[in-house]
């Protein structure tokens, strides 16, 4: 099937919210990782989300071009063509975009979808993320509201963030943030809803101790109850229809019971990046080490062409990502629940 339409993407999110499950959202950087994601979703009969970060877009555009928006467009167009061969729905999304990158990344991508719509073509992306958490909440929400209105005019969902996800990802380092910044307050969640409600559909990355990167169990102090407290406050004041569609960032190493707990509090999307990066790299390293002499032409020998052909190890990387993403479908309870 082709990439989900805006209406289908909305139904995906509604189904996850009603069914207490969430979609794995994998960051991709290449055809290989797109294919891995599509294979995993199809094998597990799960709908899913494929997303591109600014760094992923830069990488995909090549060393000479180094243009995040251009690379994101290339990856999205490839996903549109490849997804048509599968019988599940996929939403396309862009990950963290800080305020300083909005004009060079988000606005050009929204404009590209607007151009496509005028030509009778489907949306390029179904959702985008603005991460203005570095700003005071008032300024964050002013920019969020401006972009939400722009997105809504093109049937695009905007993901916003209040509170900071710790650690480092894609060159943005929040490891120096004080601990209290990692936890979104109930008051902040109310202000987000009351500012953005009625201007378009949005996803909300509320933070509850999340940290980007990989950590041993116990190193990160998650408080999923923060999500419940915020949801309860918003619903008590504004009714059941005010329930947030929440996003879980920085979940590597999270115990399964804590992942499952967040599903009951309204998480419909969980980002998967660090774990799939490792799942991609591990089998490639194993291939290199196992075939060391053949890959590197040791001691002046001619090597083994089949061993250093990039396809020989990239296929293994693709399989590794597909396997890890399949695990995420199980953990998030999206397996077997495609609405296609």
């Amino acid at each position: 099937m082709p990439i989900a339409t805006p209406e289908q993407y909305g139904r995906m999110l509604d189904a996850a919210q009603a069914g207490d499950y969430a979609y794995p959202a994998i960051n991709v950087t290449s055809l290989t990782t797109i294919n891995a994601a599509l294979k995993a979703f199809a094998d597990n009969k799960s709908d899913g989300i494929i997303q591109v970060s600014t760094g992923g877009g830069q990488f995909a555009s090549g060393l000479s071009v180094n243009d995040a928006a251009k690379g994101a467009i290339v990856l999205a167009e490839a996903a549109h063509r490849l997804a048509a061969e599968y019988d599940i729905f996929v939403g396309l999304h862009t990950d963290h975009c800080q305020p300083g990158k909005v004009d060079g990344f988000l606005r050009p991508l929204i404009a590209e979808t607007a151009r496509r719509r005028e030509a009778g073509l489907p949306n390029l992306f179904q959702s985008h993320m603005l991460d203005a958490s570095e700003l005071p909440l008032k300024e964050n929400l002013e920019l969020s509201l401006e972009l939400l209105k722009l997105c809504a005019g093109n049937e695009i969902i905007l993901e916003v963030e209040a509170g900071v996800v710790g650690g480092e990802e894609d060159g943005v380092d929040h490891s120096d943030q004080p601990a209290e910044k990692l936890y979104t307050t109930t008051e902040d969640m109310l202000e987000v809803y009351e500012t953005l409600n009625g201007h378009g559909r949005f996803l909300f990355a509320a933070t509850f101790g999340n940290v980007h990167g990989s950590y041993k169990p116990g190193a990160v102090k998650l408080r999923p109850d923060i999500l419940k407290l915020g949801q309860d406050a918003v619903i008590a004041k504004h009714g059941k229809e005010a329930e947030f569609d929440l996003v879980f960032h920085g979940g590597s190493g999270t115990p399964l019971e804590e992942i499952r707990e967040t599903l009951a509090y309204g998480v419909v999307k969980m980002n998967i990046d660090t774990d799939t990066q490792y799942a991609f790299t591990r089998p490639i390293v194993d291939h290199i080490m196992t075939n060391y002499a053949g890959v590197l032409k040791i001691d002046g020998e001619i090597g083994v062409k089949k061993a250093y052909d990039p396809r020989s190890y990239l296929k293994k990387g693709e399989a590794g990502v597909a396997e890890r993403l399949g695990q995420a479908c199980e953990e998030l309870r999206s397996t077997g629940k495609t609405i296609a």
Side-chain angles (χ1 to χ4, degrees), residues 264-276:
Y265 302 153
V267 167
V268 297
K269 170 179 178 279
M270 180 175 176
N271 286 15
I272 310 290
D273 187 23
T274 301
D275 287 350
T276 47

Side-chain angles (χ1 to χ4, degrees), residues 158-176:
L158 183 69
E159 180 182 336
V160 300
E161 181 173 314
V164 174
V165 177
E168 186 275 332
E169 183 178 55
D170 237 26
V172 178
D173 191 348
H174 287 153
S175 57
D176 60 347

Side-chain angles (χ1 to χ4, degrees), residues 22-332:
Y23 298 108
I26 176 176
N27 285 43
V28 300
T29 55
S30 62
L31 291 179
T32 304
T33 46
I34 291 172
N35 283 324
L38 293 171
K39 175 176 170 53
F41 294 141
D43 286 352
N44 290 275
K45 296 181 173 56
S46 168
D47 299 323
I49 297 171
I50 289 175
Q51 56 191 28
V52 183
S53 66
T54 55
Q58 287 177 316
F59 175 82
S61 73
L63 295 174
S64 296
V65 177
N66 197 35
D67 184 318
K70 181 73 71 175
I73 290 170
V74 169
L75 291 173
E77 288 180 338
H80 273 270
R81 289 181 175 268
L82 292 167
E85 303 300 317
Y86 295 85
D87 59 354
I88 41 87
F89 283 133
V90 173
L92 294 180
H93 179 77
T94 56
D95 203 7
H96 296 268
C97 179
Q98 291 75 30
K101 298 177 182 178
V102 166
D103 289 343
F105 188 67
L106 269 193
R107 292 190 194 277
L109 294 179
I110 296 169
E112 178 61 17
T113 281
R115 183 195 67 77
R116 289 168 63 96
R117 290 167 64 89
E118 289 176 3
L121 298 172
N123 282 25
L124 185 64
F125 286 93
Q126 287 67 54
S127 56
H128 294 295
M129 181 185 184
L130 167 69
D131 178 2
S133 60
E134 66 189 49
L135 301 175
L137 186 61
K138 183 176 185 295
E139 295 176 32
N140 176 343
L141 291 177
E142 286 173 353
L143 181 57
S144 296
L145 182 58
E146 176 191 347
L147 288 171
L148 178 59
K149 292 177 179 178
L150 184 61
C151 285
N154 292 283
E155 293 187 283
I156 297 169
I157 294 171
L158 183 69
E159 180 182 336
V160 300
E161 181 173 314
V164 174
V165 177
E168 186 275 332
E169 183 178 55
D170 237 26
V172 178
D173 191 348
H174 287 153
S175 57
D176 60 347
Q177 291 292 316
E180 63 269 18
K181 290 288 188 181
L182 305 183
Y183 301 92
T184 306
T185 66
T186 296
E187 292 74 21
D188 287 352
M189 292 181 76
L190 279 164
E191 189 168 350
V192 168
Y193 177 80
E194 291 168 353
T195 301
L196 301 183
N197 179 48
H199 297 285
R201 186 161 187 173
F202 63 94
L203 297 161
F204 181 25
T207 60
F208 51 102
N210 330 47
V211 179
H212 287 134
S214 188
Y215 299 86
K216 292 183 178 180
V220 176
K221 305 301 182 185
L222 291 182
R223 283 194 52 203
D225 63 295
I226 282 178
L227 302 181
K228 183 179 188 303
L229 293 171
Q231 290 278 36
D232 287 349
V234 170
I235 290 171
K237 186 173 182 180
H238 297 285
K240 177 64 177 176
E241 66 278 5
E243 184 175 17
F244 286 115
D245 292 326
L246 295 175
V247 181
F248 186 165
H249 288 253
S252 297
T254 303
L256 179 58
E257 61 271 18
E258 289 188 343
I259 292 175
R260 293 274 174 85
E261 184 182 354
T262 69
L263 305 182
Y265 302 153
V267 167
V268 297
K269 170 179 178 279
M270 180 175 176
N271 286 15
I272 310 290
D273 187 23
T274 301
D275 287 350
T276 47
Q277 288 176 341
Y278 181 77
F280 181 79
T281 301
R282 175 61 186 261
I284 292 175
V285 172
D286 182 67
H287 173 93
I288 300 299
M289 295 178 71
T290 302
N291 299 282
Y292 188 80
V295 170
L296 296 181
K297 299 186 179 182
I298 298 298
D299 296 331
E301 294 296 328
I302 62 171
V304 178
K305 185 178 186 301
K306 288 191 294 185
Y308 59 74
D309 180 341
R311 292 171 295 183
S312 66
Y313 49 83
L314 290 178
K315 287 179 182 177
K316 295 176 181 178
E318 179 181 332
V321 171
E323 180 180 356
R324 178 61 183 85
L325 197 55
Q327 178 187 331
C329 291
E330 287 288 334
E331 292 175 344
L332 298 173

Side-chain angles (χ1 to χ4, degrees), residues 10-22:
R11 284 200 290 120
M12 281 171 54
L13 299 176
D14 290 342
Q17 184 68 263
D20 287 342
Y21 64 93

